[in-house]
Amino acid sequence: MLSARSLFQEILDNDESFRLFCSIAASGEAQGGWENARIAALVPPGERGLAPKIARHGADEDKHGRIFHALIKKRGLRPVEVPPDTDYTMLLERHGIGLPHEKLRADRPLTVPDVVTYLAHSRVTEQRASEQMELLRKHFADDPDIGRAVRMISQDEDNHLAYCHEELLRFAHAGHGRTIQRTLRECALAEIRVYRDVSLAVMSHMGRILGWSKARSATLAAGIHAVYAYERLAGWRRMVRLAMPERRGALDGPPATAPEFA
């Protein structure tokens, strides 16, 4: 029977598919680390209190990248080049989601609308990351090889999502509510398209590595399209709702280290 657990287990059990999976994840986390570090450095003067939280977010992402590389190394493997069609963060930028890299490479301070755009983008993408890690944690939290990494990253992603909710609500109360809702909707609708395309690309690469039959590949592709259809109809709404999280101040203080992985 085809299930999320059996699919992930098949990918994890094969060295080639495992290192592709971890390489894709590590690349995305490293990119997120760089973006957050640049945003923290460019926060406008009136919002400097946000800078340590954004820097903490970036440090967590860097840590996750090191963790995925350490998992590859633990198997005696080397990372592989990430296929462009699986590069989630790059494709989001191409679709105009988040702050453009040319703006982050400049030395000019960002504006408050820039910060709101960053937070809205993060709220959407962290929803996806939190859900994906929750799925892995459900099935592999006790796995001797990846369980510790899954638990640590999952907790961090939950913290990131909580932080986005809290900060966006603060900006909404300051008068940016309509901009936030419009930006969240635009980001969510673009993200679900990119996620569909990346999911199809990843499954295509995995299918070639693992020798899946045409029937199995077609079944998985149909499932991905079905998820997209649901998200396009109504599922995207979960990505735009805002609620004060139970976990307040989730990114206050220094990031937790991961010496066992780094």
Side-chain angles (χ1 to χ4, degrees), residues 5-26:
R5 179 182 175 84
S6 65
L7 179 63
F8 276 120
Q9 191 68 62
E10 186 176 359
I11 291 171
L12 297 177
D13 286 345
N14 179 279
D15 282 349
E16 290 302 310
S17 57
F18 177 78
R19 72 172 181 160
L20 176 59
F21 173 82
C22 289
S23 295
I24 292 171

Side-chain angles (χ1 to χ4, degrees), residues 115-153:
V115 174
V116 169
T117 295
Y118 150 72
L119 287 168
H121 166 243
S122 295
R123 186 263 177 271
V124 170
T125 56
E126 293 299 335
Q127 177 80 37
R128 182 74 70 187
S130 177
E131 291 172 353
Q132 288 183 316
M133 293 310 303
E134 174 60 27
L135 180 63
L136 286 175
R137 186 168 60 185
K138 176 182 177 181
H139 296 299
F140 298 101
D142 297 324
D143 185 274
D145 294 322
I146 67 168
R148 188 183 300 174
V150 165
R151 294 193 303 272
M152 179 176 291
I153 296 173

